[in-house]
Amino acid sequence: YIHTPLHSTTTTTLLPHYLTFIPLCKLLFYSACIPATGVSCERLMGTRSDHAALMLALLIGFCVVFRCSATLWDTNALLVVNGSIRKMPETLFGVFFEEINHAGAGGLWAELVSNRGFESGGHHSPAIIDPWSIIGDDSLIKVSTEASSCFKKNPIALRMEVVCDDDCPVGGVGIYNPGYWGMNIENGKTYNLVLYIRSMGSVNVSVSLTDSTGMQPLATTNIIKNDVSNWTKIVAKLEAKGSNSNARLELKADKKGVIWFDQVSLMPSDTYKGHGFRNDLFKMVANMKPAFIRFPGGCFVEGEYLRNAFRWKETVGPWEERPGHFGDVWFYWTDDGLGHYEFFQLAEDLGAAPIWVFNNGISHQESVDPSIIMPFVQEALDGIEFARGGPNSTWGSVRAAMGHPEPFDLKYVAIGNEDCGKKYYRENYLKFYTAIRKAYPDIKMISNCDGSRVKLDHPADMYDFHIYSDAKTVFSMANTFDRTSRVGPKAFVSEYAVTGDDAGLGSLLASLAEAGFLIGLEKNSDIVEMASYAPLFVNTNDKRWKPDAIVFDSSQSYGTPSYWMQHFFKESNGATLLNSTLQANTSNTLEASAIVFQDPVSKKNNLRIKVVNFGSSTVSLKILIDGLDPNLLDNSGTKTVLTSANVKDENSFANPKKVPYPLACVCLSVSCPKRYQNSNGVWVIMGKLLYGSVEFSSQSILMNGIGCMQIVPVTSLVEKAGRNIDVVLLPHSLTCFDVLMKSGSVEITSTADDTSYVSSM
């Protein structure tokens, strides 16, 4: 150990294999004096002692704050994780389902027949029957509607008159339904058919699944009945002998006569738990681990006019008796197979808390006068009883008859949607609030009025907050709730998204702005109770609203960057928020947070740090985990990155992973192949750097050439990798670092006020 005095003119040579230490505070002093004055510090101190003393004090203060350790002098950004911690709400991040973009009808709800009850043309006759069409020349078959159904709420039935007899074409004539832009039929799978039929004579009806032209048969069965003079329910199974994603259902006959059809349904036999949800779409939502699900809207709840609003009582009971309705906001008919009961079942299957948004007597064009609002109030109370009432209660018995005798766990209701500024909202709100509080004192009620800036003038447990804007605005709103009062109702950010040109159909840029916004919500989770992206689904054939989280057609689906972005936050529900301070040269393009969460499988704690680089430049980030016992951190960790070559990149059916979805993709190990390491020993694999497979310790690691795939460390990990981490943040990226913690409890001591907090996870 050799100590040498350091002067302003000292030139320091770093010898090989030697550790050289220069006191940081003194170095900072010299580096500040000379560039600023052009005069040596000794001369400055000798001639201007007062100024020098002031500068020295400032520099000493600077050193104390940064502890003479990592500073912005040698890095682009510094993230210090320390200080007080608190538990975030168990319900922080969830999903919002609205019947928009055919999200349910022709989407999550697996019914393959569109307009199964022939009611979409209205409860009158004659009426259109789209998308049903005839098979054969109209000289051989005549089709019309009649108000002759056996279901009172669904009076319309289809009358099919076969005019031909022995001269019918081979295979017969009839009708077909193409479903919602084609039915997805898969070889070997079974499809459950239900229909109602009536005729004055015997019937022999061929029921087939074919391709879109009717030329390729996929599955066939026959309905042969001698007496169907009264409406008769037919149940059959169709087993597919081929696959086609643009198939149709055909009903044909080749003998002269009249046949009536009604309530024709075709469902895959493999829906989730048999509950009617399309498996692939359900699993995409389930993989987000939502803490709650808000339903059924949105504007869908209101309707443009009240006559077309979602009325829950008309969506329960046997599906054949549900009248359906035309959604005049999003302009399509729904049979309401996905109704009040199914939404609660969906929440239960997801393990998510249900949040029911009910109509409060307000549409886009109308508001019910407070003097006659009580029937709407009673309808809301009845809807709550349906979910929570005992099996012998009036509406609880309806639920029990549908197969769920135990109550659903309803704890949240929203009184309307985006209605705060509309006529009579406040007056009617108070009537709903009073009645629900009296009957169900534990239910939390959500107001449509924003309380983030101004105190609400009415009681509420939470208030709704919606934000749709361009990327820059959404990213800048990370601090929106910083100045919100900590007293009073909590915020429910029930709809957020980047829209417009920045978003396109779902861009990387949009997802990064949203991620920055969500980090701000994490930091304000003492006042923000819940948040959900909107909309959740879009059928690619009906893009009423864009962008969306999940895009699908009859047979396939993919997540937009905004969908994958939300995976970075799914462990935040109920996690412990750590105090984190970000100092950066370009602080307006970076957002970061740190949490401790428990892995649901291993039950082990993990430290997670998320950083959004919203800028177009690479950032060198030093992460300093201060105040934490270094022995708590494991020697291994993973890094997950969401980015792409172009900030406007989007995913698609042709390239569903163009914007890489997040998977563990970095080995924090000094033993990773050197050609794939940066100067910090961190294995960074992004963009189109790798193709095919590479051999690593006799294991083949598959790379898709378009972003990250999972990399499994097979050698020793870098020692103490989690305490101080030097990383490179790629331009326009969301990066997540996970470090395993060895202890079942986390103790972080604040060095600012010497307080501590212990979280048992």
Side-chain angles (χ1 to χ4, degrees):
Y1 176 83
I2 302 175
H3 174 74
T4 303
L6 177 66
H7 302 286
S8 62
T9 56
T10 299
T11 300
T12 302
T13 302
L14 303 180
L15 300 175
H17 301 110
Y18 272 80
L19 171 64
T20 305
F21 171 73
I22 302 174
L24 179 60
C25 295
K26 194 167 185 179
L27 177 60
L28 287 173
F29 177 73
Y30 282 110
S31 62
C33 292
I34 298 174
T37 65
V39 182
S40 69
C41 291
E42 287 86 345
R43 180 180 174 187
L44 179 62
M45 293 178 67
T47 58
R48 299 291 301 277
S49 59
D50 52 344
H51 291 173
L54 176 60
M55 183 174 292
L56 180 60
L58 291 172
L59 291 169
I60 291 174
F62 186 92
C63 291
V64 170
V65 171
F66 292 99
R67 302 184 179 198
C68 297
S69 57
T71 74
L72 296 183
W73 293 74
D74 54 14
T75 187
N76 291 116
L78 171 66
L79 179 64
V80 180
V81 179
N82 64 6
S84 60
I85 56 180
R86 58 177 167 78
K87 186 177 175 65
M88 295 191 290
E90 297 282 354
T91 57
L92 187 54
F93 295 118
V95 294
F96 164 44
F97 181 96
E98 177 169 15
E99 182 59 86
I100 182 177
N101 306 322
H102 276 86
L108 181 63
W109 188 244
E111 173 63 65
L112 295 175
V113 178
S114 177
N115 189 19
R116 65 186 178 191
F118 308 101
E119 308 287 334
S120 70
H123 294 171
H124 52 261
S125 182
I128 61 172
I129 59 171
D130 289 348
W132 291 91
S133 297
I134 66 170
I135 302 170
D137 190 271
D138 60 4
S139 64
L140 304 177
I141 180 174
K142 298 184 184 301
V143 171
S144 61
T145 57
E146 286 185 357
S148 59
S149 173
C150 59
F151 302 107
K152 292 182 179 180
K153 291 184 178 181
N154 294 310
I156 302 302
L158 183 84
R159 181 183 187 274
M160 182 179 84
E161 180 181 359
V162 178
V163 179
C164 60
D165 200 358
D166 294 336
D167 57 340
C168 283
V170 176
V173 295
I175 56 175
Y176 74 87
N177 188 290
Y180 298 90
W181 301 282
M183 298 179 179
N184 183 43
I185 303 302
E186 298 180 72
N187 185 37
K189 288 192 175 183
T190 301
Y191 299 84
N192 299 324
L193 173 75
V194 178
L195 61 81
Y196 290 78
I197 193 170
R198 182 171 71 91
S199 182
M200 295 300 101
S202 62
V203 295
N204 186 345
V205 176
S206 170
V207 181
S208 301
L209 292 171
T210 73
D211 68 350
S212 61
T213 66
M215 301 301 293
Q216 178 192 2
L218 303 170
T220 302
T221 190
N222 283 84
I223 301 172
I224 302 174
K225 294 288 181 180
N226 292 323
D227 183 10
V228 287
S229 56
N230 295 314
W231 281 106
T232 303
K233 182 178 181 178
I234 302 296
V235 178
K237 292 185 180 296
L238 294 169
E239 184 175 343
K241 304 300 182 182
S243 296
N244 193 296
S245 62
N246 191 27
R248 70 190 199 184
L249 173 68
E250 297 185 347
L251 306 175
K252 295 188 295 184
D254 59 3
K255 297 296 181 182
K256 189 173 183 178
V258 178
I259 304 172
W260 286 265
F261 294 105
D262 199 9
Q263 299 300 330
V264 182
S265 171
L266 185 70
M267 292 280 279
S269 61
D270 64 345
T271 62
Y272 184 78
K273 290 187 175 182
H275 291 161
F277 307 121
R278 180 173 145 179
N279 258 311
D280 61 328
L281 298 183
F282 177 88
K283 289 176 182 177
M284 286 194 74
V285 180
N287 288 341
M288 299 169 72
K289 298 171 65 174
F292 66 84
I293 178 169
R294 177 181 182 243
F295 62 83
C299 298
F300 182 71
V301 170
E302 302 165 277
E304 192 68 19
Y305 294 92
L306 284 171
R307 63 179 176 268
N308 292 318
F310 180 82
R311 311 304 285 266
W312 75 266
K313 288 183 179 179
E314 296 178 350
T315 73
V316 297
W319 58 267
E320 300 97 328
E321 297 177 5
R322 303 182 190 183
H325 78 287
F326 178 72
D328 59 354
V329 175
W330 306 122
F331 303 106
Y332 61 90
W333 174 266
T334 60
D335 290 312
D336 290 331
L338 180 58
H340 197 53
Y341 175 89
E342 288 76 18
F343 281 119
F344 282 105
Q345 185 64 68
L346 174 62
E348 185 174 272
D349 288 347
L350 289 170
I355 302 177
W356 179 37
V357 184
F358 59 75
N359 186 283
N360 61 334
I362 295 177
S363 70
H364 285 184
Q365 302 295 332
E366 304 152 315
S367 296
V368 174
D369 188 280
S371 64
I372 54 174
I373 194 63
M374 289 313 295
F376 288 84
V377 174
Q378 188 59 51
E379 186 166 288
L381 292 171
D382 292 345
I384 297 173
E385 183 181 273
F386 177 90
R388 293 187 32 158
N392 295 321
S393 64
T394 300
W395 287 102
S397 64
V398 177
R399 181 200 67 241
M402 296 180 70
H404 203 287
E406 294 300 318
F408 290 112
D409 190 22
L410 175 62
K411 296 179 180 178
Y412 306 92
V413 296
I415 303 174
N417 171 73
E418 295 181 345
D419 295 331
C420 181
K422 296 176 183 176
K423 188 177 182 181
Y424 301 138
Y425 177 74
R426 283 171 170 81
E427 298 94 320
N428 288 342
Y429 172 92
L430 291 174
K431 293 181 182 293
F432 283 98
Y433 182 91
T434 302
I436 295 172
R437 182 64 79 220
K438 180 179 179 180
Y440 302 96
D442 63 311
I443 283 186
K444 293 186 177 182
M445 283 174 275
I446 304 165
S447 167
N448 290 177
C449 299
D450 178 13
S452 62
R453 296 187 180 93
V454 180
K455 183 179 178 180
L456 296 182
D457 60 1
H458 53 275
D461 297 293
M462 285 186 277
Y463 58 85
D464 225 342
F465 184 95
H466 295 181
I467 173 60
Y468 296 102
S469 192
D470 60 272
K472 184 177 180 181
T473 298
V474 171
F475 184 80
S476 70
M477 292 183 69
N479 62 355
T480 293
F481 294 95
D482 290 359
R483 295 171 295 278
T484 297
S485 171
R486 265 48 194 171
V487 179
K490 307 278 189 179
F492 178 19
V493 184
S494 63
E495 299 182 31
Y496 73 85
V498 172
T499 55
D501 292 340
D502 286 348
L505 298 178
S507 69
L508 172 67
L509 178 64
S511 69
L512 298 179
E514 293 153 1
F517 177 64
L518 293 193
I519 285 176
L521 298 189
E522 284 185 322
K523 293 184 173 182
N524 284 285
S525 56
D526 58 326
I527 191 63
V528 177
E529 187 79 8
M530 300 175 173
S532 51
Y533 178 90
L536 180 61
F537 284 116
V538 60
N539 187 311
T540 193
N541 297 286
D542 184 30
K543 297 175 182 175
R544 295 285 177 179
W545 186 283
K546 57 185 181 182
D548 309 88
I550 300 170
V551 184
F552 66 90
D553 62 14
S554 68
S555 63
Q556 57 188 334
S557 58
Y558 68 85
T560 63
S562 293
Y563 168 80
W564 294 112
M565 174 276 298
Q566 293 176 68
H567 282 249
F568 285 79
F569 293 85
K570 64 185 181 181
E571 305 297 349
S572 295
N573 295 324
T576 301
L577 178 70
L578 308 184
N579 183 48
S580 57
T581 304
L582 182 64
Q583 298 139 11
N585 298 334
T586 55
S587 58
N588 62 336
T589 62
L590 295 178
E591 288 290 344
S593 69
I595 66 170
V596 172
F597 71 93
Q598 185 182 75
D599 185 277
V601 178
S602 68
K603 304 301 180 183
K604 293 183 178 179
N605 290 337
N606 291 266
L607 170 65
R608 169 167 290 184
I609 297 171
K610 298 186 291 290
V611 189
V612 178
N613 181 6
F614 194 61
S616 57
S617 300
T618 300
V619 174
S620 297
L621 175 68
K622 181 181 292 293
I623 301 174
L624 173 62
I625 303 171
D626 197 12
L628 177 64
D629 183 352
N631 294 321
L632 289 178
L633 296 174
D634 197 21
N635 295 331
S636 63
T638 59
K639 172 181 170 184
T640 308
V641 182
L642 184 70
T643 192
S644 192
N646 189 304
V647 74
K648 298 297 286 293
D649 277 349
E650 301 176 356
N651 292 336
S652 63
F653 289 122
N655 196 349
K657 300 171 186 176
K658 183 175 184 179
V659 180
Y661 56 88
L663 289 173
C665 61
V666 172
C667 164
L668 299 179
S669 170
V670 294
S671 300
C672 294
K674 292 297 182 182
R675 57 185 171 147
Y676 301 135
Q677 291 183 34
N678 65 14
S679 59
N680 299 313
V682 178
W683 196 0
V684 180
I685 304 174
M686 289 303 304
K688 297 184 179 179
L689 297 179
L690 298 179
Y691 290 85
S693 62
V694 293
E695 292 295 320
F696 177 44
S697 299
S698 302
Q699 285 196 9
S700 178
I701 304 172
L702 182 65
M703 308 304 299
N704 73 344
I706 310 173
C708 297
M709 291 295 284
Q710 189 168 9
I711 304 301
V712 182
V714 294
T715 56
S716 61
L717 302 177
V718 64
E719 294 184 2
K720 312 299 183 187
R723 180 64 191 274
N724 295 285
I725 308 175
D726 293 301
V727 296
V728 174
L729 303 177
L730 297 173
H732 295 122
S733 64
L734 169 58
T735 306
C736 175
F737 307 94
D738 285 343
V739 179
L740 184 66
M741 306 189 76
K742 299 178 182 178
S743 174
S745 64
V746 182
E747 181 172 355
I748 294 186
T749 302
S750 170
T751 55
D753 58 7
D754 294 326
T755 59
S756 64
Y757 177 91
V758 176
S759 172
S760 296
M761 304 292 286

